[in-house]
């Protein structure tokens, strides 16, 4: 198997692994949202650990894709991945195009859920700040 074919095979596998990973990521982020709403610290910690591991793996695959794009001299702009996909034989290309489009949708869904979770965290922080500073006269302080 040539180096070119090996690299193309790696990209195919990475895209499919990303599909699985982002599906799992969405599930973890959904669990995180539930845990945030319930303020369950252990569940939040577990979800965050799972999210970090999934993001690390996705980041490694993205870096690998970038290196392959460089090897093929395709650049790094938004059209580079399509140029890479065009290097595949037609039967494999069609499958990869569908997988790539599905992956883009999955990434967007995770990004949206991450934004909602971030807003939820910001709201919790704001409430905490208001409670901590709202009525300082009722907070115990020793008299000197």
């Amino acid at each position: 198997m040539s180096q070119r074919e090996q690299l193309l095979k790696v990209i195919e596998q990475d895209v499919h692994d990303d599909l699985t990973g982002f599906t799992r990521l969405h599930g973890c982020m959904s669990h995180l949202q539930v845990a945030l709403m319930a303020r369950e610290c252990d569940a939040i910690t577990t979800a965050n650990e799972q999210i970090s591991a999934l993001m690390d793996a996705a980041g490694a695959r993205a870096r690998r894709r970038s290196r392959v794009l460089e090897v093929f001299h395709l650049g790094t702009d938004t059209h580079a991945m399509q140029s890479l996909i065009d290097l595949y034989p037609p039967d494999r290309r069609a499958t990869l195009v569908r997988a790539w489009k599905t992956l883009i949708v999955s990434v967007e869904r995770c990004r949206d859920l991450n934004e909602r979770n971030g807003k939820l965290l910001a709201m919790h922080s704001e409430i905490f700040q208001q409670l901590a500073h709202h009525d300082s006269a009722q907070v115990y302080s020793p008299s000197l």
Side-chain angles (χ1 to χ4, degrees), residues 27-37 43-44 47-48 51 117:
C28 289
M29 294 176 96
S30 295
H31 289 300
L32 176 60
Q33 186 175 39
V34 170
L36 287 169
M37 294 293 288
I44 292 169
N48 280 330
I51 289 167
N117 286 349

Side-chain angles (χ1 to χ4, degrees), residues 1 12 52 62-63 79 132 143:
M1 184 181 299
E12 268 178 308
S52 290
R63 286 187 298 277
H79 303 291
S143 58

Side-chain angles (χ1 to χ4, degrees), residues 8 10 25 54 58 75 81 95 105-106 113 117 119 126:
L8 292 176
V10 165
L25 181 62
L54 289 166
M81 191 62 189
T95 302
V105 170
S106 294
L113 189 49
N117 286 349
K119 288 176 183 176
E126 184 178 316

